[in-house]
Amino acid sequence: MNRILQHPYFLFVAILVFCFPLTAWATPVKVAVLPFAIHADKDYTFLQKGIVEMLTSRLSAPGKVEVADPVATSEAMTATKGLSGDKLALMVADKLKADVAIHGSLTVLGESVSIDAKTLDVTGGRPPLTFFKQTSGMGEVI
């Protein structure tokens, strides 16, 4: 035991192990954000793109959270025709090698807007997280 403590690199290794955060070795979580379904009597396609862009910019954290490229997500979605909801989100996330999938919908009825979103752990290790918000106008959506 004394020989190990006297080794010239022992102090260096001890400092690395105890002072260097273990999270630095962790790989970032990859998130796939699917375009939200829009339910409205008018064309709100611009919101579909806006929601993806907003979530992508707000969720991205270098070294911690990596959001899948929206173009790659769209391509993965076209390859999974016939699926919808959780099954589609999980299949797209799997194709993108993502750890988490986010999908949802935006419903507009008159001046009332509701947003429903779900976050799915691809491994199934965590239960789905749901989010619901109702607003009284388009200006409050973001």
Side-chain angles (χ1 to χ4, degrees), residues 34 82-92 101 103-104 118 120:
L34 281 70
L83 295 177
S84 63
D86 289 357
K87 289 183 180 182
L88 172 65
L90 290 171
M91 184 65 75
V92 168
H103 71 103
K118 189 183 266 188
L120 302 167

Side-chain angles (χ1 to χ4, degrees), residues 114-135:
S114 70
I115 302 169
D116 297 282
K118 189 183 266 188
T119 302
L120 302 167
D121 179 359
V122 175
T123 65
R126 295 181 186 162
L129 296 173
T130 58
F131 170 81
F132 168 79
K133 179 71 177 175
Q134 189 164 350
T135 67

Side-chain angles (χ1 to χ4, degrees), residues 28-34 55-56 59-60 64-69 73 93 96-102 119-120:
V29 174
K30 187 167 183 182
V31 178
V33 179
L34 281 70
L55 287 173
T56 298
L59 291 174
S60 295
K64 295 178 184 177
V65 179
E66 174 189 330
V67 180
D69 177 51
T73 303
L96 296 171
K97 307 259 187 280
D99 306 300
V100 177
I102 299 174
T119 302
L120 302 167

Side-chain angles (χ1 to χ4, degrees), residues 32-39 44-53 55-56 68-78 80 84-85 88-89 92 96 101-106 116-118:
V33 179
L34 281 70
F36 280 37
I38 306 290
H39 307 287
Y44 290 108
T45 309
F46 69 95
L47 275 177
Q48 194 173 44
K49 183 178 179 184
I51 290 170
V52 170
E53 287 175 358
L55 287 173
T56 298
D69 177 51
V71 174
T73 303
S74 293
E75 290 172 0
M77 286 181 68
T78 58
T80 55
S84 63
L88 172 65
V92 168
L96 296 171
I102 299 174
H103 71 103
S105 65
L106 183 89
D116 297 282
K118 189 183 266 188

